[in-house]
Amino acid sequence: MLEPLPTLTAPRRPPAAFARGLPASMVRHWLAAGWADFRAAPGPSLAYGFFLLALSLAVLAGLDAAGLMYLVLPAIAGFLIVGPFLALGLYAQSGAREEGRRLGLSSMLLVRPAAGAQLAYAGLMLSLLVLFWLRTADLLYALFFGLAPFPGAENALVNVLTTPRGWALILVGSALGALFAGFAFAISLFSIPMLMSERRDALTAMGLSFAMTAQNLRAVMAWGAVVAAGLALSVATGLIGLVVVFPVLGYGTWHVFRSIHEPPRVR
């Protein structure tokens, strides 16, 4: 006698380890927490912001000296990728404040991450991503305007903003840049604070950062919009706004990391 076929059941998906169900409105809480950290240590925070401003101006001066000022806009977009790495000292300050301590500027600039050399490896990979994006932007300009000698930064900017080819370049470049920046932002946003506070390898941290982003997409996208708005504000002020905007966003990013990385408390 034939036995009945076993009942087929759909495979169970493993639980999403980092899904917190956070609303987009959480950005207000994270911004408030970042501002509170800034106010708790205004001197070191402002000094850190001035240091970053000087570093940014040095990069722009280097591009100008190399005749690569047409890469300024892609370089600013690449700032979103390396920004978490540049905020190491801010993460350390927020973490210390949670423990009831306060760090000076020297401790913020010379922070010792728990992951050691793995953090340098992650920074190298993020830097390579930025260089890859800058090269892609260079090739896009050549595809739209040919291989003629570069006309100079001012003429190149006029070509991009006042010609049909330039408008098409902006559309295509923005689409590609959004995809590239979204991926890079997802693997860097949480991996750097993770490597600073835990002993992990860089690739695992980047994979976990991507998972944390994907499982909390609504809240993380809202925070990404806040970061982009802060960067736009800084650019509109000739980068002077970085002195305050970057520390507040860096502190806020630490609180985003803590909200998503830490398991929810059972009461």
Side-chain angles (χ1 to χ4, degrees):
M1 185 175 179
L2 296 177
E3 296 182 0
L5 294 175
T7 303
L8 298 178
T9 57
R12 294 183 179 180
R13 294 184 178 181
F18 297 107
R20 304 291 182 239
L22 300 174
S25 59
M26 276 294 293
V27 296
R28 294 197 296 268
H29 168 74
W30 294 327
L31 272 177
W35 178 245
D37 286 352
F38 182 90
R39 293 184 60 186
S45 300
L46 286 172
Y48 199 96
F50 275 112
F51 173 78
L52 186 73
L53 173 62
L55 180 63
S56 302
L57 293 177
V59 170
L60 292 179
L63 290 176
D64 186 34
L68 299 175
M69 284 301 288
Y70 64 98
L71 292 179
V72 166
L73 292 179
I76 291 174
F79 186 84
L80 292 173
I81 302 172
V82 298
F85 186 78
L86 297 174
L88 275 175
L90 302 172
Y91 303 150
Q93 183 72 269
S94 288
R97 186 165 179 258
E98 290 176 350
E99 299 172 357
R101 299 183 292 113
R102 185 179 300 178
L103 301 181
L105 178 62
S106 59
S107 298
M108 294 173 69
L109 294 177
L110 302 175
V111 61
R112 299 182 63 179
Q118 287 297 316
L119 184 65
Y121 182 48
L124 175 61
M125 288 191 288
L126 293 176
S127 298
L128 290 176
L129 279 174
V130 173
L131 291 177
F132 178 74
W133 165 237
L134 292 177
R135 184 57 178 168
T136 301
D138 199 3
L139 292 175
L140 278 176
Y141 185 88
L143 286 174
F144 279 88
F145 290 98
L147 298 177
F150 183 65
E154 184 176 351
N155 290 332
L157 189 61
V158 171
N159 288 341
V160 170
L161 297 178
T162 63
T163 65
R165 286 187 181 184
W167 301 332
L169 173 61
I170 291 175
L171 290 175
V172 174
S174 297
L176 289 177
L179 292 174
F180 185 88
F183 170 76
F185 187 72
I187 66 172
S188 65
L189 180 62
F190 301 119
S191 60
I192 304 304
M194 190 182 302
L195 290 170
M196 197 208 69
S197 58
E198 302 175 9
R199 292 182 59 84
R200 289 187 183 272
D201 66 275
L203 292 178
T204 298
M206 289 183 171
L208 290 175
S209 178
F210 188 89
M212 292 166 68
T213 300
Q215 294 174 18
N216 300 273
L217 195 57
R218 180 172 51 183
V220 173
M221 285 183 65
W223 181 249
V226 170
V227 171
L231 180 59
L233 177 62
S234 300
V235 172
T237 59
L239 299 184
I240 300 298
L242 282 176
V243 175
V244 174
V245 170
F246 189 80
V248 172
L249 291 180
Y251 292 140
T253 298
W254 172 261
H255 292 283
V256 179
F257 166 71
R258 296 284 286 174
S259 297
I260 295 176
H261 181 262
E262 296 298 321
R265 297 178 181 178
V266 178
R267 296 183 179 181

